[in-house]
Amino acid sequence: GENVEQHPSTLSVQEGDSAVIKCTYSDSASNYFPWYKQELGKGPQLIIDIRSNVGEKKDQRIAVTLNKTAKHFSLHITETQPEDSAVYFCAASRSQAGTALIFGKGTTLSVSS
Amino acid sequence: GAVVSQHPSWVICKSGTSVKIECRSLDFQATTMFWYRQFPKQSLMLMATSNEGSKATYEQGVEKDKFLINHASLTLSTLTVTSAHPEDSSFYICSARDGGQVYSNQPQHFGDGTRLSIL
């Protein structure tokens, strides 16, 4: 089955700096890669996703890149703000409706002002 | 956007009690819903896939008689933790994806979770 590795487990940056979180996956048939942000005591919230037919996607300060050959994808947050502090999870799955997401172990991002 | 509502958000009960958690898709229909378990400072671990009108599919190591799943309609799935014990204490989260087709382009949306504490 699918296995998703995520690094780093913790990341501390200064406000305004960029943050990068990286994930690798094992199942070459996976073609959907979302990123979720989880705040304390809440469920994960989708922040951006990418499918295997594109290499990069941007949404304001957030971008995701995908390298299908190497089976890795990354989350880039620019101009970080204290409210970006949270746990971020990457995930992978095949795009079939009944297929569950397999999550990485998470990255705790701390943005200090 | 798509909203998944989970209830209750927090439960404290005595050992031996059975606890039911509801997961509803509020503005879309979900043929399939997923149940995850999350321990403190850990990732989400898939417990089971809930299919409307049929039996749930459980992940290896998850006791189906312990964690009963019922997906009776296209907007509601329930997870019942039977005869709960302290080791069942955890954060339980459901998710659902909008779309009944085999290949769905819709993302998965998560509920806000249920914190279960067994004394």
Side-chain angles (χ1 to χ4, degrees), chain A residues 44-63:
Chain A
Q45 277 193 307
L46 180 70
I47 56 171
I48 195 167
D49 57 7
I50 191 168
R51 300 183 187 277
S52 59
N53 56 344
V54 297
E56 184 175 0
K57 184 177 178 181
K58 273 188 179 180
D59 183 3
Q60 299 183 338
R61 297 186 296 110
I62 295 173

Side-chain angles (χ1 to χ4, degrees), chain B residues 6-76:
Chain B
Q6 200 170 329
H7 178 82
S9 57
W10 191 26
V11 179
I12 301 175
C13 59
K14 293 181 179 179
S15 186
T17 308
S18 291
V19 178
K20 180 185 282 188
I21 303 170
E22 293 187 348
C23 179
R24 294 180 185 274
S25 56
L26 295 188
D27 50 1
F28 65 98
Q29 294 184 331
T31 306
T32 303
M33 293 184 178
F34 305 95
W35 288 95
Y36 292 84
R37 183 174 182 176
Q38 186 177 34
F39 290 108
K41 298 188 178 182
Q42 293 191 24
S43 188
L44 288 81
M45 298 301 296
L46 179 67
M47 297 176 65
T49 301
S50 170
N51 302 297
E52 188 268 334
S54 65
K55 291 183 179 179
T57 303
Y58 290 82
E59 294 300 300
Q60 192 172 8
V62 178
E63 300 175 58
K64 60 182 180 181
D65 294 329
K66 174 76 171 176
F67 300 99
L68 300 179
I69 291 173
N70 187 318
H71 194 154
S73 77
L74 287 172
T75 59
L76 173 65

Side-chain angles (χ1 to χ4, degrees), chain A residues 28-87:
Chain A
S28 57
S30 289
N31 53 16
Y32 175 63
F33 308 94
W35 286 88
Y36 286 85
K37 176 183 181 182
Q38 187 178 28
E39 297 178 335
L40 195 62
K42 298 281 190 179
Q45 277 193 307
L46 180 70
I47 56 171
I48 195 167
D49 57 7
I50 191 168
R51 300 183 187 277
S52 59
N53 56 344
V54 297
E56 184 175 0
K57 184 177 178 181
K58 273 188 179 180
D59 183 3
Q60 299 183 338
R61 297 186 296 110
I62 295 173
V64 57
T65 59
L66 171 65
N67 183 327
K68 277 219 76 177
T69 304
K71 290 192 281 189
H72 63 71
F73 56 112
S74 301
L75 177 71
H76 304 252
I77 305 174
T78 58
E79 299 173 33
T80 53
Q81 301 166 3
E83 50 266 39
D84 294 329
S85 298
V87 181

Side-chain angles (χ1 to χ4, degrees), chain A residues 36 38 43 51 96-97 101 104, chain B residues 38 43 97 101-102 105 108:
Chain A
Y36 286 85
Q38 187 178 28
R51 300 183 187 277
Q96 288 92 322
L101 294 170
Chain B
Q38 186 177 34
S43 188
R97 177 185 274 173
Q101 299 180 10
V102 176
N105 285 324
Q108 279 193 31

